[in-house]
C-alpha cells in the first residue's frame, strides 16, 4: 500500500505543530514544502531523534510506528 501525504502523513501533525513550525519557516502542512527531499529528511531527523515535538510542548515524542510511516512515505517517493 502506498503511503500518501494527504491521507497518512498530514494527520500525524497537530495544529500546534503546524502553527509553531510555520513561524520558523517549516511548513509541515504544505505538500510542496514537505515533498522536497531535504525538507522531508530534516523533519524525519527531528522526529526520529525525538527532538521534535519538544518535550516542553506538552506533546509526546513520536512512537516508532509513526516514525516508520513517515520513512515509508519518503521511501515511496513522496506520494501526494
Ligand atoms: C525541520 C524540522 C524542524 C525544525 C528545524 C524545528 C525547529 C523548532 C524550533 C527552533 C522551535 C522553537 C524552539 C523550541 O521550542 O525548541 C520549535 C518548536 C516546536 N516544534 Fe519544531 N522543528 C522541526 C520540526 C518539527 C516537527 C516535525 C514537529 C512535530 C511533529 C515539531 C513540533 C514543534 C512544536 C510543537 C514546537 C513548539 C514548542 C512550544 O512552543 O512549546 N517541530 N521547532
Amino acid at each position: 500500500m502506498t503511503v500518501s501525504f494527504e491521507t497518512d502523513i498530514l494527520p500525524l501533525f497537530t495544529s500546534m505543530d503546524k502553527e509553531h513550525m510555520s513561524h520558523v519557516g517549516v511548513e509541515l502542512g504544505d505538500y510542496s514544502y514537505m515533498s522536497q527531499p531535504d525538507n522531508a529528511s530534516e523533519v524525519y531527523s527531528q522526529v526520529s531523534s525525538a527532538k521534535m515535538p519538544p518535550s516542553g510542548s506538552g506533546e509526546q515524542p513520536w512512537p516508532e510506528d509513526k516514525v516508520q510511516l513517515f520513512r515509508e512515505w519518503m521511501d515511496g517517493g513522496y506520494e501526494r
Side-chain angles (χ1 to χ4, degrees):
M1 192 198 78
T2 313
V3 180
S4 105
F5 183 74
E6 277 162 19
T7 310
D8 306 298
I9 301 304
L10 208 43
L12 302 177
F13 301 113
T14 66
S15 7
M16 177 164 76
D17 295 338
K18 288 180 277 191
E19 197 190 312
H20 282 239
M21 295 322 307
S22 182
H23 295 158
V24 294
V26 176
E27 302 293 350
L28 298 174
D30 178 357
Y31 177 76
S32 56
Y33 177 90
M34 292 291 286
S35 58
Q36 292 173 43
D38 288 352
N39 294 338
S41 289
E42 184 57 28
V43 167
Y44 176 77
S45 145
Q46 296 285 335
V47 294
S48 61
S49 63
K51 288 194 187 122
M52 289 283 148
S55 51
S57 67
E59 296 189 353
Q60 298 301 310
W62 280 16
E64 189 51 36
D65 60 337
K66 283 193 180 185
V67 173
Q68 195 51 42
L69 191 63
F70 195 89
R71 177 84 247 172
E72 281 169 33
W73 174 66
M74 294 171 68
D75 292 346
Y78 313 95
E79 196 73 28
R80 183 160 207 154

